[in-house]
Amino acid sequence: MDLDYFKLIDRIVDLNLGERTIVVEAQVPEKHTIFEGHFPGFPIMPGVLLTEAMAQSSGWLLLGVLKFERMPFLAIVKEAKMRGFVSPGQLLTIEAKVEHEGSGFAVTKAKGRIGKELKCSAEITFGLTPFPDPAFRVHMDAMAEKIGFPMQVLKHD
Amino acid sequence: MSSTFDQIANIIAETCDIPRDTIKPESHAIDDLGIDSLDFLDIAFAIDKAFGIKMPLEKWTQEVNDGKATTEQYFVLKNLADRIDELVAAKNAGTGA
């Protein structure tokens, strides 16, 4: 989890395009200035960052579903629930599923866990648009490789 | 069973917090009800789910942008209800939506 660059997902554990599901891991850093303020003496991951982590997980899933031909942009967050504290050093596992693929938009449901304990969940809607800039697409390809996006699954779908 | 228009009107009322009695078959979703593109995403999701279809919003938008259709054809609610009925009929006939 690289909080400074807002890259919250470290590794794709499983991507199933048939089931339209993804499982990712995100290692919460032991130290970061965010935890100095949120909160002094009781450092926890801000809910907005847990929500963003669920959105990024869903985004990688949708990139797979869309075969990297379109980019999902966050549009709506519903029913975002922070069910328990997530602390520095914990390994967050996030699973997401495509709930609906509409025309120009998609809706996912995502859940974040520490171990087996459910910590957060949300329903998230994305607008799906062509990549606005070729350099952006190149960057996403590089990011995909870094987090272990299984490009081979795109060829077998 | 309520009419297609009634189902759409109920969805819009609930999604956009618009009083149900102000939503008429002649209402234009954008010009009269002030529904913006983000709210329409929510409405589209609810309509897709309720009717088991995939409204071709991108195709409709393209047709309007190309001057091949007017916004009234798709966004006046009685017309939207007709389009949805067509999509449901096509789905039931197995010809796709």
Side-chain angles (χ1 to χ4, degrees), chain B residues 16 21 27-28 35 39 44 47-48 59 62 64 68 77 79 92:
Chain B
C16 301
D21 57 4
S27 300
H28 190 298
I35 296 170
D39 279 336
I47 289 175
D48 282 0
K59 177 171 168 275
Q62 192 62 51
V64 170
K68 294 176 181 171
L77 298 189
N79 298 335
N92 292 339

Side-chain angles (χ1 to χ4, degrees), chain B residues 16-50:
Chain B
C16 301
D17 203 17
I18 295 172
R20 172 64 182 84
D21 57 4
T22 64
I23 304 171
K24 310 288 187 192
E26 298 75 26
S27 300
H28 190 298
I30 302 163
D31 298 342
D32 296 327
L33 302 178
I35 296 170
D36 65 17
S37 57
L38 194 59
D39 279 336
F40 208 82
L41 278 190
D42 246 355
I43 292 166
F45 176 37
I47 289 175
D48 282 0
K49 263 202 314 189

